[in-house]
């Protein structure tokens, strides 16, 4: 009898400690009591001891590092690759084009961020999407004193919706786990996903209007030369330097351009501005690293790289490793120049790769101790039997917390088959279950277990806790909109 009770209590203890570990982590980083790297390492190590498996901590961490090492390698060389592409001017025309479209209007800039992130997300890789989006939009947000958490939040949500593409990962996992065809899952979901993407655009418009009210009216003016009333910002390409942003007080908010990243968008106070300019001067149109004669080579190389990623000709880490070596050698043939470029991007590389390996401790302990399995089983077990005929709806709702607190692999290969089996007993088809499981992706992309989110917040110089506080509610609402549209259209 005593052994039986112990067998019942231990899984329950693992479930409680698993939720407590995640809650402790989120609370500490959102309250800024610990840095994300320290929290990702120390909290799971402490809970591993609480579970009574401290002696196996080394094995769990090594397993986690082994799983995430390819991702860390990919991010390291991808940051170098896109960093060099920024240096040589590949994205200058994009930034200039966005500026002309946005006309220094915060509303247009926020909407433009969502559109750009959605378009670039077609490559199926979140890290690449965030690098390109932040590279293009950061100068505008920084110089116009806009909230940077708005940029990271909008980009993450747009990418989350687009992450459901068959080559993006979740759809392929769902298809594999339930032995279905990916196109049968994805194609019928397109109307619901389009509604979700439209909601992100509408939300971007609303957030942009709030930013416009906070900052005042901003206008693009190429001829005004009264320097006392204007602040000139980048953005030329290859040395023209003709485009200027003139910021005028007045209009709807009447507040002009105030410092800070303010609360007009529900952003944490000061989250979008570090209080100084961080030495940031925008994309200098006359910087010495520009390579206008190699522009088309760099553009074709990037298109070729993204094509190879989508077609899966080689593993992504290998593609970026080769790409980084090639772009450095061609654009900067002299070794001192190559060293200078690597040094210039070393900070981003160290921060992001360090965060990924720290996350390996967190995921290693969650999986190694069995906490994540017992958490998932508990959530499945508490579903009332009367909800059986509505298992697709239940799966869609559960996908929000489960894909946030678990890796996609853990959810799709560990939890979804169990949910699908329960649904099948009540006549719910595996296809409906698979489609419902995609609903949580807009929230998943901001999970602390997703390496790409550290690229996003790292390059944008936003605290992960600030990003989390801002984006979770909006991302969850986006997920529910997709779920509601899927139910309305009879897809789920």
């Amino acid at each position: 009898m005593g052994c039986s009770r112990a067998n019942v209590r231990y899984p329950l203890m693992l479930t409680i400690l698993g939720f407590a570990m995640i809650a402790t982590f989120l609370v500490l980083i959102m309250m800024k009591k610990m840095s994300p790297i320290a929290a990702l390492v120390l909290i799971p190590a402490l809970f591993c001891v609480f579970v009574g498996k401290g002696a196996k901590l080394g094995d769990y961490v090594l397993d986690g590092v082994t799983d995430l090492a390819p991702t860390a390698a990919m991010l390291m060389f991808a940051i170098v690759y896109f960093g060099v592409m920024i240096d040589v001017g590949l994205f200058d025309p994009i930034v200039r084009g966005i500026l002309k479209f946005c006309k220094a209007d915060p509303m247009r800039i926020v909407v433009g961020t969502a559109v750009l992130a959605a378009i670039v997300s077609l490559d199926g890789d979140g890290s690449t999407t965030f690098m390109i989006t932040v590279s293009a939009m950061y100068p505008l947000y920084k110089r116009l004193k806009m909230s940077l958490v708005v940029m990271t939040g909008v980009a993450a949500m747009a990418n989350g919706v687009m992450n459901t593409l068959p080559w993006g990962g979740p759809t392929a996992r769902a298809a594999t786990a339930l032995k279905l065809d990916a196109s049968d899952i994805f194609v019928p979901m397109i109307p619901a996903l389009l509604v979700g993407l439209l909601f992100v655009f509408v939300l971007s418009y609303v957030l942009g209007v709030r930013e416009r009210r906070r900052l005042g009216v901003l206008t693009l003016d190429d001829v005004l030369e009264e320097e006392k009333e204007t602040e000139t910002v980048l953005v030329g390409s290859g040395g023209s330097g003709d485009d200027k942003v003139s910021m005028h007080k007045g209009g709807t908010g009447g507040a002009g351009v105030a410092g800070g990243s303010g609360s007009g968008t529900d952003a944490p106070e000061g989250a979008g501005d570090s209080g100084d300019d961080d030495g940031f001067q925008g994309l200098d149109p006359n910087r010495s690293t520009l390579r206008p004669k190699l522009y088309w080579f760099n553009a074709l190389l990037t298109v070729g790289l993204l094509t190879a990623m989508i077609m899966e000709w080689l593993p992504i880490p290998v593609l970026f490793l080769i790409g980084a070596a090639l772009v450095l050698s061609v654009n900067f043939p002299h070794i001192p120049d190559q060293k200078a470029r690597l040094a210039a991007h070393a900070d981003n590389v160290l921060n992001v790769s360090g965060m990924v390996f720290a996350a390996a401790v967190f995921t290693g302990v969650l999986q190694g101790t069995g906490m994540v399995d017992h958490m998932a089983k508990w959530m499945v077990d508490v579903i009332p039997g009367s909800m059986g005929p509505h298992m697709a709806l239940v799966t869609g709702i559960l996908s929000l917390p489960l894909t946030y607190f678990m890796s996609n692999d853990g959810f799709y290969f560990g939890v979804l088959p169990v949910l699908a089996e329960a649904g099948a007993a009540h006549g719910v088809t595996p296809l409906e279950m698979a489609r419902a499981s995609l609903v949580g992706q807009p929230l998943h992309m901001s999970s602390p277990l997703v390496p790409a989110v550290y690229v996003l917040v790292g390059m944008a110089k936003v605290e992960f806790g600030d990003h989390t506080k801002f984006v979770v509610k909006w991302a969850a609402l986006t997920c529910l909109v997709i779920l509601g549209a899927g139910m309305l259209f009879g897809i789920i």
Side-chain angles (χ1 to χ4, degrees):
M1 177 70 82
C3 182
S4 176
R5 288 180 178 175
N7 289 337
V8 172
R9 289 174 181 173
Y10 187 66
L12 180 60
M13 181 189 73
L14 286 177
T15 301
I16 294 172
L17 288 177
F19 283 114
M21 184 175 88
I22 292 170
T24 302
F25 167 78
L26 292 174
V27 168
L28 288 177
I29 62 169
M30 285 193 289
M31 294 181 65
K32 299 183 181 179
K33 298 299 183 181
M34 294 182 73
S35 69
I37 287 183
L40 284 167
V41 172
L42 297 179
I43 292 174
L46 184 63
F47 274 84
C48 186
V49 174
F50 288 164
V51 171
K53 296 189 177 182
K56 295 184 178 180
L57 177 61
D59 294 333
Y60 298 153
V61 172
L62 288 179
D63 288 342
V65 169
T66 301
D67 291 340
L68 290 180
T71 300
M74 181 272 289
L75 294 176
M76 288 172 63
F77 291 105
I79 290 171
V80 172
Y81 180 88
F82 284 106
V84 172
M85 285 302 185
I86 295 167
D87 295 337
V88 300
L90 178 64
F91 299 113
D92 282 19
I94 297 176
V95 176
R96 189 174 70 253
I98 291 173
L99 178 58
K100 287 181 177 178
F101 164 76
C102 295
K103 298 181 180 179
D105 181 353
M107 182 274 290
R108 291 193 179 196
I109 290 173
V110 178
V111 173
T113 301
V115 172
L116 178 61
I119 292 173
V120 181
S121 294
L122 290 171
D123 72 350
D125 181 68
S127 301
T128 304
T129 297
F130 296 148
M131 288 179 202
I132 294 175
T133 302
V134 175
S135 298
M137 304 306 296
Y138 181 83
L140 303 179
Y141 280 81
K142 190 67 177 179
R143 280 301 185 183
L144 301 182
K145 304 297 183 184
M146 293 176 62
S147 172
L148 292 171
V149 291
V150 171
M151 177 180 68
T152 61
V154 165
M157 287 185 286
N159 178 252
V161 176
M162 298 298 289
N163 193 46
T164 55
L165 291 167
W167 54 88
T171 302
R173 288 181 175 91
T176 302
L178 300 183
K179 297 179 175 59
L180 302 170
D181 187 276
S183 61
D184 291 338
I185 299 173
F186 175 73
V187 174
M189 275 293 288
I190 290 177
L193 295 172
L194 288 176
V195 171
L197 191 60
L198 178 61
F199 177 77
V200 172
F201 293 155
V202 172
L203 177 61
S204 302
Y205 171 82
V206 173
L207 295 174
V209 168
R210 290 185 180 184
E211 282 290 271
R212 178 198 283 168
R213 289 173 179 169
R214 182 175 66 84
L215 295 170
V217 175
L218 312 177
T219 60
L220 185 67
D221 189 343
D222 290 324
V223 297
L224 191 60
E225 297 180 354
E226 297 179 14
E227 295 296 330
K228 292 183 179 180
E229 296 181 359
T230 66
E231 178 181 352
T232 301
V233 186
L234 89 118
V235 174
S237 175
S240 64
D242 292 329
D243 296 326
K244 299 179 181 179
V245 177
S246 300
M247 299 183 287
H248 302 271
K249 296 182 179 181
T252 57
V257 181
S261 60
S263 55
T265 56
D266 296 334
E269 187 68 28
D273 196 355
S274 61
D276 56 37
D277 226 8
D278 296 322
F280 178 77
Q281 297 181 346
L283 296 177
D284 181 2
N286 299 306
R287 59 192 184 279
S288 61
T289 57
L290 287 176
R291 297 293 185 269
K293 293 181 180 180
L294 293 171
Y295 182 84
W296 289 110
F297 167 80
N298 291 321
L300 291 174
L301 178 63
T302 301
V303 171
L305 181 65
L306 297 179
T307 302
M309 287 173 51
I310 295 173
M311 301 301 294
E312 298 182 351
W313 290 339
L314 284 173
I316 294 178
V318 176
L319 288 172
F320 275 115
L321 193 156
I322 295 173
L326 187 58
V327 76
L328 274 171
S329 300
V330 173
N331 287 277
F332 301 95
H334 302 295
I335 292 179
D337 293 335
Q338 293 180 14
K339 289 182 177 180
R341 290 303 90 215
L342 289 173
H345 302 292
D347 186 43
N348 272 339
V349 170
L350 180 61
N351 285 335
V352 172
S353 59
M355 203 79 74
V356 171
F357 284 121
V361 180
F362 198 91
T363 57
V365 170
L366 264 181
Q367 295 170 0
T369 58
M371 284 191 284
V372 69
D373 294 330
H374 289 291
M375 290 163 61
K377 186 176 184 302
W378 176 81
M379 294 190 76
V380 172
D381 289 344
V382 297
I383 300 172
S386 59
M387 293 299 294
H390 309 289
M391 280 302 294
L393 173 62
V394 171
T395 299
I397 294 173
L398 285 179
S399 70
L400 274 71
L402 288 179
T403 58
Y404 187 79
F405 297 134
M406 299 173 64
S407 67
N408 270 341
D409 285 337
F411 174 71
Y412 287 103
F413 295 121
V415 178
L416 182 58
V418 177
L419 292 171
E421 186 176 346
H426 295 275
V428 182
T429 67
L431 275 174
E432 291 177 295
M433 298 294 288
R435 293 167 191 157
S437 70
L438 302 178
V439 165
Q441 289 305 303
L443 179 60
H444 169 75
M445 286 310 299
S446 292
S447 165
L449 304 181
V450 175
V453 74
Y454 299 116
V455 176
L456 176 64
V457 298
M459 292 187 67
K461 296 181 175 63
V462 169
E463 290 291 334
F464 181 77
D466 291 334
H467 171 77
T468 300
K469 282 191 286 187
F470 175 77
V471 77
V472 165
K473 58 182 178 294
W474 300 121
L477 185 58
T478 303
C479 296
L480 294 177
V481 168
I482 295 174
L483 180 59
M487 300 292 291
L488 181 64
F489 296 149
I491 301 167
I492 298 176

PDB file of all heavy atoms in Angstrom, residues 401-419:
ATOM      1  N   PRO A 401      -0.937  26.898 -23.737  1.00  0.00           N
ATOM      2  CA  PRO A 401       0.040  26.725 -22.656  1.00  0.00           C
ATOM      3  C   PRO A 401       1.070  25.634 -22.940  1.00  0.00           C
ATOM      4  O   PRO A 401       2.241  25.769 -22.560  1.00  0.00           O
ATOM      5  CB  PRO A 401      -0.838  26.355 -21.447  1.00  0.00           C
ATOM      6  CG  PRO A 401      -2.057  25.742 -22.031  1.00  0.00           C
ATOM      7  CD  PRO A 401      -2.289  26.485 -23.308  1.00  0.00           C
ATOM      8  N   LEU A 402       0.650  24.544 -23.598  1.00  0.00           N
ATOM      9  CA  LEU A 402       1.572  23.425 -23.781  1.00  0.00           C
ATOM     10  C   LEU A 402       2.708  23.756 -24.742  1.00  0.00           C
ATOM     11  O   LEU A 402       3.856  23.391 -24.496  1.00  0.00           O
ATOM     12  CB  LEU A 402       0.812  22.185 -24.268  1.00  0.00           C
ATOM     13  CG  LEU A 402      -0.086  21.517 -23.223  1.00  0.00           C
ATOM     14  CD1 LEU A 402      -0.812  20.320 -23.805  1.00  0.00           C
ATOM     15  CD2 LEU A 402       0.731  21.098 -21.999  1.00  0.00           C
ATOM     16  N   THR A 403       2.418  24.451 -25.837  1.00  0.00           N
ATOM     17  CA  THR A 403       3.509  24.801 -26.755  1.00  0.00           C
ATOM     18  C   THR A 403       4.332  25.969 -26.220  1.00  0.00           C
ATOM     19  O   THR A 403       5.433  26.218 -26.711  1.00  0.00           O
ATOM     20  CB  THR A 403       2.981  25.155 -28.163  1.00  0.00           C
ATOM     21  OG1 THR A 403       2.055  26.239 -28.081  1.00  0.00           O
ATOM     22  CG2 THR A 403       2.315  23.954 -28.809  1.00  0.00           C
ATOM     23  N   TYR A 404       3.804  26.678 -25.226  1.00  0.00           N
ATOM     24  CA  TYR A 404       4.593  27.746 -24.596  1.00  0.00           C
ATOM     25  C   TYR A 404       5.571  27.165 -23.584  1.00  0.00           C
ATOM     26  O   TYR A 404       6.710  27.612 -23.468  1.00  0.00           O
ATOM     27  CB  TYR A 404       3.671  28.753 -23.911  1.00  0.00           C
ATOM     28  CG  TYR A 404       4.393  29.968 -23.387  1.00  0.00           C
ATOM     29  CD1 TYR A 404       4.769  31.001 -24.244  1.00  0.00           C
ATOM     30  CD2 TYR A 404       4.716  30.095 -22.034  1.00  0.00           C
ATOM     31  CE1 TYR A 404       5.437  32.122 -23.777  1.00  0.00           C
ATOM     32  CE2 TYR A 404       5.393  31.209 -21.554  1.00  0.00           C
ATOM     33  CZ  TYR A 404       5.745  32.217 -22.433  1.00  0.00           C
ATOM     34  OH  TYR A 404       6.428  33.318 -21.956  1.00  0.00           O
ATOM     35  N   PHE A 405       5.110  26.163 -22.843  1.00  0.00           N
ATOM     36  CA  PHE A 405       5.940  25.575 -21.790  1.00  0.00           C
ATOM     37  C   PHE A 405       6.735  24.356 -22.259  1.00  0.00           C
ATOM     38  O   PHE A 405       7.551  23.828 -21.509  1.00  0.00           O
ATOM     39  CB  PHE A 405       5.071  25.170 -20.592  1.00  0.00           C
ATOM     40  CG  PHE A 405       4.392  26.324 -19.921  1.00  0.00           C
ATOM     41  CD1 PHE A 405       3.062  26.262 -19.571  1.00  0.00           C
ATOM     42  CD2 PHE A 405       5.095  27.486 -19.643  1.00  0.00           C
ATOM     43  CE1 PHE A 405       2.429  27.330 -18.947  1.00  0.00           C
ATOM     44  CE2 PHE A 405       4.474  28.565 -19.022  1.00  0.00           C
ATOM     45  CZ  PHE A 405       3.145  28.484 -18.675  1.00  0.00           C
ATOM     46  N   MET A 406       6.461  23.892 -23.476  1.00  0.00           N
ATOM     47  CA  MET A 406       7.149  22.720 -24.001  1.00  0.00           C
ATOM     48  C   MET A 406       7.740  23.046 -25.367  1.00  0.00           C
ATOM     49  O   MET A 406       7.340  24.004 -26.023  1.00  0.00           O
ATOM     50  CB  MET A 406       6.170  21.542 -24.161  1.00  0.00           C
ATOM     51  CG  MET A 406       5.504  21.073 -22.895  1.00  0.00           C
ATOM     52  SD  MET A 406       4.227  19.824 -23.234  1.00  0.00           S
ATOM     53  CE  MET A 406       5.223  18.508 -23.919  1.00  0.00           C
ATOM     54  N   SER A 407       8.681  22.219 -25.792  1.00  0.00           N
ATOM     55  CA  SER A 407       9.181  22.325 -27.156  1.00  0.00           C
ATOM     56  C   SER A 407       8.123  21.788 -28.105  1.00  0.00           C
ATOM     57  O   SER A 407       7.230  21.024 -27.704  1.00  0.00           O
ATOM     58  CB  SER A 407      10.468  21.519 -27.323  1.00  0.00           C
ATOM     59  OG  SER A 407      10.202  20.126 -27.194  1.00  0.00           O
ATOM     60  N   ASN A 408       8.206  22.169 -29.369  1.00  0.00           N
ATOM     61  CA  ASN A 408       7.273  21.635 -30.352  1.00  0.00           C
ATOM     62  C   ASN A 408       7.392  20.116 -30.465  1.00  0.00           C
ATOM     63  O   ASN A 408       6.395  19.415 -30.635  1.00  0.00           O
ATOM     64  CB  ASN A 408       7.516  22.287 -31.718  1.00  0.00           C
ATOM     65  CG  ASN A 408       6.683  23.548 -31.912  1.00  0.00           C
ATOM     66  OD1 ASN A 408       5.693  23.764 -31.219  1.00  0.00           O
ATOM     67  ND2 ASN A 408       7.083  24.388 -32.847  1.00  0.00           N
ATOM     68  N   ASP A 409       8.612  19.623 -30.376  1.00  0.00           N
ATOM     69  CA  ASP A 409       8.801  18.173 -30.440  1.00  0.00           C
ATOM     70  C   ASP A 409       8.064  17.477 -29.305  1.00  0.00           C
ATOM     71  O   ASP A 409       7.384  16.459 -29.505  1.00  0.00           O
ATOM     72  CB  ASP A 409      10.295  17.822 -30.370  1.00  0.00           C
ATOM     73  CG  ASP A 409      11.016  18.128 -31.676  1.00  0.00           C
ATOM     74  OD1 ASP A 409      10.332  18.189 -32.719  1.00  0.00           O
ATOM     75  OD2 ASP A 409      12.243  18.310 -31.657  1.00  0.00           O
ATOM     76  N   GLY A 410       8.196  18.009 -28.101  1.00  0.00           N
ATOM     77  CA  GLY A 410       7.532  17.416 -26.950  1.00  0.00           C
ATOM     78  C   GLY A 410       6.027  17.414 -27.091  1.00  0.00           C
ATOM     79  O   GLY A 410       5.349  16.436 -26.753  1.00  0.00           O
ATOM     80  N   PHE A 411       5.476  18.514 -27.602  1.00  0.00           N
ATOM     81  CA  PHE A 411       4.022  18.618 -27.736  1.00  0.00           C
ATOM     82  C   PHE A 411       3.497  17.721 -28.850  1.00  0.00           C
ATOM     83  O   PHE A 411       2.552  16.943 -28.653  1.00  0.00           O
ATOM     84  CB  PHE A 411       3.614  20.069 -27.997  1.00  0.00           C
ATOM     85  CG  PHE A 411       2.147  20.242 -28.281  1.00  0.00           C
ATOM     86  CD1 PHE A 411       1.206  20.077 -27.281  1.00  0.00           C
ATOM     87  CD2 PHE A 411       1.704  20.557 -29.557  1.00  0.00           C
ATOM     88  CE1 PHE A 411      -0.162  20.217 -27.537  1.00  0.00           C
ATOM     89  CE2 PHE A 411       0.351  20.699 -29.823  1.00  0.00           C
ATOM     90  CZ  PHE A 411      -0.584  20.537 -28.817  1.00  0.00           C
ATOM     91  N   TYR A 412       4.105  17.830 -30.034  1.00  0.00           N
ATOM     92  CA  TYR A 412       3.557  17.113 -31.187  1.00  0.00           C
ATOM     93  C   TYR A 412       3.823  15.612 -31.148  1.00  0.00           C
ATOM     94  O   TYR A 412       3.001  14.832 -31.632  1.00  0.00           O
ATOM     95  CB  TYR A 412       4.086  17.731 -32.482  1.00  0.00           C
ATOM     96  CG  TYR A 412       3.443  19.066 -32.772  1.00  0.00           C
ATOM     97  CD1 TYR A 412       4.119  20.258 -32.536  1.00  0.00           C
ATOM     98  CD2 TYR A 412       2.136  19.144 -33.234  1.00  0.00           C
ATOM     99  CE1 TYR A 412       3.519  21.489 -32.772  1.00  0.00           C
ATOM    100  CE2 TYR A 412       1.518  20.363 -33.473  1.00  0.00           C
ATOM    101  CZ  TYR A 412       2.212  21.528 -33.231  1.00  0.00           C
ATOM    102  OH  TYR A 412       1.606  22.737 -33.458  1.00  0.00           O
ATOM    103  N   PHE A 413       4.944  15.207 -30.587  1.00  0.00           N
ATOM    104  CA  PHE A 413       5.246  13.785 -30.552  1.00  0.00           C
ATOM    105  C   PHE A 413       4.859  13.117 -29.224  1.00  0.00           C
ATOM    106  O   PHE A 413       4.708  11.898 -29.168  1.00  0.00           O
ATOM    107  CB  PHE A 413       6.733  13.552 -30.826  1.00  0.00           C
ATOM    108  CG  PHE A 413       7.150  13.957 -32.211  1.00  0.00           C
ATOM    109  CD1 PHE A 413       8.129  14.911 -32.407  1.00  0.00           C
ATOM    110  CD2 PHE A 413       6.542  13.397 -33.326  1.00  0.00           C
ATOM    111  CE1 PHE A 413       8.503  15.299 -33.688  1.00  0.00           C
ATOM    112  CE2 PHE A 413       6.911  13.780 -34.611  1.00  0.00           C
ATOM    113  CZ  PHE A 413       7.887  14.732 -34.795  1.00  0.00           C
ATOM    114  N   GLY A 414       4.695  13.935 -28.177  1.00  0.00           N
ATOM    115  CA  GLY A 414       4.372  13.367 -26.873  1.00  0.00           C
ATOM    116  C   GLY A 414       2.928  13.530 -26.450  1.00  0.00           C
ATOM    117  O   GLY A 414       2.316  12.611 -25.889  1.00  0.00           O
ATOM    118  N   VAL A 415       2.353  14.695 -26.723  1.00  0.00           N
ATOM    119  CA  VAL A 415       1.011  15.008 -26.225  1.00  0.00           C
ATOM    120  C   VAL A 415      -0.063  14.826 -27.297  1.00  0.00           C
ATOM    121  O   VAL A 415      -1.122  14.249 -27.037  1.00  0.00           O
ATOM    122  CB  VAL A 415       0.965  16.455 -25.684  1.00  0.00           C
ATOM    123  CG1 VAL A 415      -0.443  16.808 -25.210  1.00  0.00           C
ATOM    124  CG2 VAL A 415       1.965  16.625 -24.551  1.00  0.00           C
ATOM    125  N   LEU A 416       0.200  15.315 -28.501  1.00  0.00           N
ATOM    126  CA  LEU A 416      -0.824  15.267 -29.552  1.00  0.00           C
ATOM    127  C   LEU A 416      -1.336  13.856 -29.832  1.00  0.00           C
ATOM    128  O   LEU A 416      -2.558  13.673 -29.982  1.00  0.00           O
ATOM    129  CB  LEU A 416      -0.287  15.920 -30.830  1.00  0.00           C
ATOM    130  CG  LEU A 416      -1.274  15.980 -32.005  1.00  0.00           C
ATOM    131  CD1 LEU A 416      -2.536  16.746 -31.608  1.00  0.00           C
ATOM    132  CD2 LEU A 416      -0.617  16.624 -33.228  1.00  0.00           C
ATOM    133  N   PRO A 417      -0.477  12.847 -29.925  1.00  0.00           N
ATOM    134  CA  PRO A 417      -1.015  11.492 -30.164  1.00  0.00           C
ATOM    135  C   PRO A 417      -1.981  11.026 -29.069  1.00  0.00           C
ATOM    136  O   PRO A 417      -2.970  10.343 -29.362  1.00  0.00           O
ATOM    137  CB  PRO A 417       0.254  10.616 -30.192  1.00  0.00           C
ATOM    138  CG  PRO A 417       1.338  11.541 -30.626  1.00  0.00           C
ATOM    139  CD  PRO A 417       1.005  12.848 -29.976  1.00  0.00           C
ATOM    140  N   VAL A 418      -1.706  11.404 -27.811  1.00  0.00           N
ATOM    141  CA  VAL A 418      -2.599  11.036 -26.714  1.00  0.00           C
ATOM    142  C   VAL A 418      -3.944  11.744 -26.869  1.00  0.00           C
ATOM    143  O   VAL A 418      -5.018  11.140 -26.715  1.00  0.00           O
ATOM    144  CB  VAL A 418      -1.963  11.389 -25.351  1.00  0.00           C
ATOM    145  CG1 VAL A 418      -2.915  11.077 -24.208  1.00  0.00           C
ATOM    146  CG2 VAL A 418      -0.651  10.644 -25.172  1.00  0.00           C
ATOM    147  N   LEU A 419      -3.898  13.037 -27.193  1.00  0.00           N
ATOM    148  CA  LEU A 419      -5.125  13.795 -27.389  1.00  0.00           C
ATOM    149  C   LEU A 419      -5.902  13.257 -28.591  1.00  0.00           C
ATOM    150  O   LEU A 419      -7.138  13.156 -28.552  1.00  0.00           O
ATOM    151  CB  LEU A 419      -4.795  15.278 -27.607  1.00  0.00           C
ATOM    152  CG  LEU A 419      -4.216  16.030 -26.402  1.00  0.00           C
ATOM    153  CD1 LEU A 419      -3.743  17.415 -26.823  1.00  0.00           C
ATOM    154  CD2 LEU A 419      -5.255  16.152 -25.287  1.00  0.00           C
TER     155      LEU A 419
END
